[in-house]
DNA sequence: ACTGGCACTCGTTACAGTCGAGTGCCAGGC
DNA sequence: GCCTGGCACTCGACTGTAACGAGTGCCAGT
């Protein structure tokens, strides 16, 4: 357990070198590149201890050391020095995000920006519907038995759904339905709507009842239960950087996981606040991602998160830089959305 | 030049075997697996001719033959026997597509289905806006100087955009704007709207003029010029099948191309009718995709295409099967959309 | 507690040799 | 004239051996 300062410094040096060179690092090259003030032999002793404690390991007997997931964890928790963004990066962020015309645009620009800056796969969740409130509901008759139902949320999200009515409904009734629904629901958070919707059905006059019942079912189904959450992806090509050494040779499991919206949401969308989370290799609950690390955070106005965003890359990743970038981008996006 | 029937049969056999085994095929194994009725030596002579004509090649001197892009082309053009879908596949298609609740749902299900059936990367274009007509336009006031503008097309597509007004506009005026815009534009094809929009501005009463001008700009910008077209992707994990032999070792260029919507649209979205197109390796204009083949087709009611869909895979691909699947899926989707 | 020295490990590289799938060509047969 | 069996040849894949060297663990000395 006794990890004195020098041993920690050695671990840090190993992580930094390995991340930079992608090659197991030996005692000699370590003392050459870092001013540790001791000889290789001493470093070797420290390494032996670090290995015993499970922070580093040797790929083969006669090779240098490589950090383990546990080693990265210690590095991230205790050895990371904050790395401020370069002015160039700040400028890139601003330039990239100004001029976004709507939510879709903001999300797409953000995810591309994040992928570009971190050179990793970026994931951005659309502002969570559950945490949005209703700004307006619109019902557009498509035919006498079909309605297009459109909801606009205060976060700028627009969701629509086709509603198949049980019986023809005249236009006047649609107007009534629209008024009723808006009166009752506008302003309320989507997570709080179910009882309100229930009340709507019960209070509606008999001739509107069947239509309202169908409408409410669809409403609850679409907006509250089902694919209420959406995400955007970018930078999958970055997975191929660093040859095939990262991700133990196969991109397949990673690509599979990336295609599962549910999985990705679980990964980056759980944050309730704007705290940054780092999941390293094994710590990940998703089997397919055991060889990857994820840096994620919530974004939103202030410290309440509207949604999550983050990046996914090899465990061998520049954690300080990535963390800084993810945070900065999240802050900018939060501000941008607050303006709407 | 002189390619008699047997030589063609040899080429077909080579393509089929190579696609199945992913290994260069030699004369001996060829006569074993196919009833060609001649000896290996004869086949070798035919092969020499085929190679001279550029239809096949040898990876190394002492290896079997592999089809060239040109060979695949000949195979697709003249040697493909129609491969009917298996009942299981038909069932899969139907089961997968019933129960789709709206356009988004249809597109997502389709793209996943296509990826699953062909075991390749699938791309589906949303019904082209240019070929849709306006069903309804909605203006929702967000603040006095901001409108959310929502367009519903007859294909089920819903597009929205935030409009920043030059000066505050009272609710009554918004109602007027909504009525005017709908009166003029509903029913017309989006590709034909520019002059109509122009007329709208010119005919509108003075106090509505500034708002209408802004609105029209945004309208034209969003719906006609810019990212009017959208696509959905699925099955990128399938790129990793067949080891790293396909795509000459690196997925990077492929993944990069897949992320560029513009590129993908060019690839599958150009079809005006429901003809099937096959692009093999080199024939592809996009450099990044020189090692890939694309099978695409238009889909829509009848033979007019609303949009395109297709799959992308290695040149070493089961063309007959893929073509059959792509066509079948396109037909089903076309029918499904026609019902709406 | 650190250091220099030393023997040891083991993956990498180079080289030689064998094996065998596959070829091209040629002489002979239907 | 076209097809076939036979044969010599090519060349990548695989195997075994040897030299190399980066890196280690350990120990005696300061």
């Amino acid at each position: 357990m006794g990890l004195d300062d020098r041993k920690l410094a050695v671990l840090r040096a190993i992580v930094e070198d390995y991340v930079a060179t992608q090659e197991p690092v030996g005692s000699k090259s370590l003392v050459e590149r870092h001013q540790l003030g001791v000889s290789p032999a001493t470093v070797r002793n420290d390494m032996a201890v670090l290995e015993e404690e499970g922070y580093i390991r040797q790929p083969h007997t006669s090779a240098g050391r490589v950090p383990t997931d546990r080693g990265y964890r210690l590095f991230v928790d205790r050895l990371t020095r904050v790395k401020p963004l370069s002015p160039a990066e700040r400028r890139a962020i601003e330039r990239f995000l100004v001029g976004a015309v709507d939510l879709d645009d903001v999300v797409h620009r953000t995810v591309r920006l994040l992928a570009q800056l971190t050179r990793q796969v970026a994931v951005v969740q659309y502002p969570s519907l559950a945490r949005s409130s209703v700004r307006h509901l619109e019902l557009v008759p498509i035919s006498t038995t079909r309605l297009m139902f459109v909801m606009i949320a205060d976060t700028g999200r627009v969701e629509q759904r086709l509603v198949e009515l049980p019986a023809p409904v005249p236009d006047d009734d649609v107007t009534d339905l629209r008024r009723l629904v808006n009166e009752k629901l506008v302003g309320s958070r989507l997570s709080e709507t179910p009882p309100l919707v229930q009340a709507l059905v019960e209070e509606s006059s008999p001739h509107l009842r069947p239509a309202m019942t169908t409408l409410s079912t669809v409403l609850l189904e679409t907006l509250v239960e089902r694919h209420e959450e959406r995400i955007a992806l970018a930078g999958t090509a970055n997975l191929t950087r660093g040859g095939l050494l990262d991700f133990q040779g196969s991109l397949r499991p990673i690509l599979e996981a990336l295609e599962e919206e549910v999985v990705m949401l679980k990964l980056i969308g759980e944050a309730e606040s704007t705290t940054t989370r780092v999941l390293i290799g094994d710590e990940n609950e998703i089997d397919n991602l055991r060889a990857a690390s994820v840096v994620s955070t919530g974004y939103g106005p202030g410290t309440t998160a509207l949604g999550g965003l983050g990046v996914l890359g090899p465990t061998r990743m520049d954690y300080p830089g990535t963390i800084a970038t993810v945070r900065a981008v999240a802050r900018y996006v939060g501000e941008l959305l607050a303006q709407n």
Side-chain angles (χ1 to χ4, degrees), chain A:
Chain A
M1 296 299 143
L3 288 190
D4 56 35
D5 284 356
R6 198 189 53 219
K7 291 193 183 61
L8 290 177
V10 169
L11 177 57
R12 171 193 285 147
I14 291 175
V15 171
E16 287 176 356
D17 274 22
Y18 183 63
V19 165
T21 65
Q22 178 136 4
E23 268 164 20
V25 9
S27 53
K28 197 174 155 206
S29 45
L30 245 197
V31 294
E32 275 168 13
R33 267 197 283 230
H34 299 76
Q35 281 74 37
L36 293 171
V38 289
S39 76
T42 310
V43 170
R44 282 205 287 282
N45 288 328
D46 291 348
M47 281 173 156
V49 176
L50 286 169
E51 181 157 16
E52 219 166 291
E53 304 274 343
Y55 296 113
I56 56 178
R57 65 186 180 82
Q58 299 187 64
H60 348 279
T61 319
S62 71
R65 303 308 217 286
V66 163
T68 59
D69 289 352
R70 190 159 176 228
Y72 285 122
R73 168 53 58 198
L74 184 62
F75 175 79
V76 169
D77 286 346
R78 300 187 41 198
L79 305 174
T80 292
R81 325 176 222 214
V82 199
K83 190 192 260 185
L85 290 199
S86 72
E89 284 174 312
R90 295 201 169 281
R91 248 177 295 124
I93 295 180
E94 281 168 30
R95 203 173 6 167
F96 223 86
L97 294 183
V98 297
V101 294
D102 63 8
L103 183 65
D104 258 313
D105 209 11
V106 169
V107 170
H108 279 115
R109 283 174 189 233
T110 304
V111 77
R112 294 184 84 123
L113 171 68
L114 204 51
Q116 197 176 303
L117 287 179
T118 61
R119 311 202 56 178
Q120 240 115 37
V121 183
V123 191
V124 175
Q125 179 193 11
Y126 278 69
S128 167
L129 270 192
R131 292 175 215 150
S132 310
S133 30
V134 180
R135 176 171 274 157
H136 182 80
L137 295 165
E138 188 57 44
L139 299 176
V140 181
I142 300 294
S143 72
T144 51
T145 62
R146 274 189 171 161
L147 286 179
M148 176 70 79
F149 158 79
V150 181
M151 189 213 61
I152 302 175
D154 60 349
T155 45
R157 272 190 72 174
V158 179
E159 292 292 308
Q160 70 275 351
R161 170 83 187 264
L162 203 61
V163 183
E164 207 80 41
L165 297 170
V169 173
D171 278 4
D172 284 353
D173 286 0
V174 172
T175 311
D176 286 346
L177 285 171
R178 181 185 301 123
R179 187 176 38 76
L180 286 171
V181 174
N182 273 293
E183 275 172 6
K184 198 77 170 191
L185 299 180
V186 164
S188 58
R189 296 205 134 210
L190 265 157
S191 52
E192 301 160 354
T193 48
L196 298 177
V197 172
Q198 191 52 37
L200 256 176
V201 175
E202 283 159 15
E203 292 166 14
S204 59
S205 56
H207 74 288
L208 289 181
R209 183 71 67 96
M212 187 61 98
T213 308
T214 313
L215 191 55
S216 75
T217 312
V218 171
L219 206 150
L220 290 177
E221 210 177 285
T222 316
L223 306 185
V224 185
E225 293 161 26
R226 221 155 43 101
H227 58 194
E228 45 159 353
E229 306 299 353
R230 297 181 59 195
I231 57 168
L233 263 186
T236 44
N238 289 330
L239 289 174
T240 61
R241 293 192 315 129
L244 298 162
L245 302 169
D246 302 330
F247 309 120
Q248 55 203 39
S250 173
L251 293 185
R252 163 145 250 179
I254 312 282
L255 287 171
E256 278 173 356
L258 287 174
E259 282 205 358
E260 292 298 327
E261 291 220 346
V262 193
V263 171
M264 286 297 106
L265 275 170
K266 187 158 189 180
L267 212 54
I268 64 149
E270 283 180 339
E272 290 288 320
S273 73
T274 54
T275 335
T276 311
R277 285 198 314 164
V278 181
L279 284 175
I280 299 166
D282 265 349
E283 300 171 3
N284 219 304
E285 286 178 13
I286 298 139
D287 270 350
N288 277 2
L289 300 180
R290 283 288 150 84
S293 283
V294 176
V295 176
S296 65
T297 185
Y299 67 84
T303 54
T304 51
L306 282 178
L309 58 78
V311 306
L312 182 155
T315 48
R316 182 194 73 75
M317 156 196 296
D318 169 18
Y319 290 98
T322 307
I323 293 171
T325 310
V326 166
R327 274 195 186 137
V329 170
R331 200 169 52 245
Y332 273 88
V333 174
E335 283 169 19
L336 201 62
L337 290 178
Q339 289 167 24
N340 287 8

